[in-house]
């Protein structure tokens, strides 16, 4: 039996097995592995929560900026519709007002094309803004093609006004709801 245990001599001290030493070493090894695993898991969870917070924060700021831009543009369209009856030739004669003066501010909308967070915005918002801008551009084109106030021009202005009213009634509430949703999500990440 001694010959059988001779390779395990390194585990003994003065010829006697030292079980306390080896038990301590096993406990240290297990606790180290377990500690590294738990620390890694906690770090991973913190990193995931930080990424979720950062994403929600960026989308919230993006939606707030987009809402302000769209609200300003709706107000412009409403102003254009009101002012058309008072001075229709401003729309039809390029000598009085250049076409650039009847332009929507779309910096945020254009910048969103390059943002990685754009597709985290509610699809109804993206579709609504795209349709609003498209309708405005379409009816402005019709207006600019007319040389004088006529039925086509008046109908285009009526459609412009309707597009603005529709965006105010449907698009802005969706944006407000999304912004409130992201704000409540952000509050969950903050410590109490």
């Amino acid at each position: 039996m001694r010959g059988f245990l001779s390779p395990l001599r390194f585990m003994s001290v003065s010829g006697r097995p030292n079980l306390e030493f080896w038990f301590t070493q096993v406990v240290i090894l297990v606790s180290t592995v377990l500690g590294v695993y738990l620390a890694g898991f906690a770090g991973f969870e913190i990193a995931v929560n930080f990424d979720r917070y950062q994403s929600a924060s960026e989308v919230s700021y993006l939606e707030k900026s987009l809402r302000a831009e769209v609200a300003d543009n709706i107000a412009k369209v409403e102003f254009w519709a009101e002012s058309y009856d008072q001075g229709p030739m401003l729309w039809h004669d390029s000598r009085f007002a250049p076409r650039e003066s009847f332009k929507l501010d779309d910096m945020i909308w254009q910048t969103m094309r390059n943002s990685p967070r754009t597709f985290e915005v509610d699809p109804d918002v993206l579709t609504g803004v795209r349709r609003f801008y498209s309708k405005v551009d379409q009816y402005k084109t019709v207006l600019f093609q007319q040389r004088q106030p006529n039925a086509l021009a008046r109908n285009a202005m009526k459609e412009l006004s309707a597009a603005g009213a529709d965006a105010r009634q449907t698009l802005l509430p969706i944006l407000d709801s999304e912004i409130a949703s992201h704000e409540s999500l952000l509050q969950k990440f903050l410590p109490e």
Side-chain angles (χ1 to χ4, degrees):
M1 178 108 158
R2 268 190 149 191
F4 177 71
L5 294 176
S6 63
L8 302 174
R9 255 186 297 174
F10 70 93
M11 295 179 64
S12 64
V13 176
S14 357
R16 295 188 322 233
N18 190 355
L19 294 176
E20 295 167 355
F21 171 76
W22 289 107
F23 178 73
T24 305
Q25 294 303 311
V26 167
V27 168
I28 290 171
L29 180 67
V30 168
S31 63
T32 301
V33 169
L34 184 63
V36 168
Y37 171 76
L38 292 175
F41 181 75
F44 177 73
E45 187 176 0
I46 289 170
V48 167
N49 284 339
F50 177 75
D51 187 54
R52 289 178 60 207
Y53 175 81
Q54 185 177 13
S55 172
S57 176
E58 288 175 5
V59 171
S60 176
Y61 288 132
L62 188 64
E63 287 177 339
K64 287 176 185 176
S65 299
L66 183 62
R67 192 217 183 276
E69 178 179 279
V70 169
D72 289 347
N73 286 332
I74 290 171
K76 273 187 180 182
V77 168
E78 291 170 344
F79 174 75
W80 293 342
E82 290 172 9
S83 66
Y84 182 77
D85 291 333
Q86 299 166 1
M89 290 312 291
L90 290 177
W91 284 87
H92 301 297
D93 192 339
S94 60
R95 294 175 299 169
F96 294 123
R99 303 296 188 234
E100 292 80 27
S101 63
F102 296 106
K103 185 176 184 301
L104 296 178
D105 295 325
D106 61 352
M107 187 205 58
I108 302 298
W109 182 247
Q110 294 300 325
T111 304
M112 284 176 66
R113 293 179 181 184
N114 302 319
S115 172
R117 302 292 185 203
T118 298
F119 292 111
E120 293 179 34
V121 175
D122 185 353
D124 292 334
V125 170
L126 296 175
T127 302
V129 172
R130 179 185 52 80
R131 287 179 180 162
F132 172 66
Y133 284 154
S134 294
K135 284 180 185 177
V136 170
D137 285 340
Q138 174 188 354
Y139 295 122
K140 275 183 9 186
T141 301
V142 171
L143 277 164
F144 290 144
Q145 289 175 346
Q146 309 307 310
R147 295 284 178 212
Q148 59 186 350
N150 57 23
L152 285 173
R154 284 189 289 277
N155 185 48
M157 190 50 76
K158 187 187 306 180
E159 292 296 329
L160 257 178
S161 179
D166 183 49
R168 184 174 294 285
Q169 293 171 358
T170 58
L171 184 57
L172 291 183
I174 293 172
L175 268 164
D176 289 338
S177 169
E178 283 298 306
I179 291 168
S181 170
H182 280 98
E183 288 297 318
S184 69
L185 180 63
L186 288 172
Q187 290 302 317
K188 290 180 185 177
F189 290 112
L190 297 177
E192 295 178 17

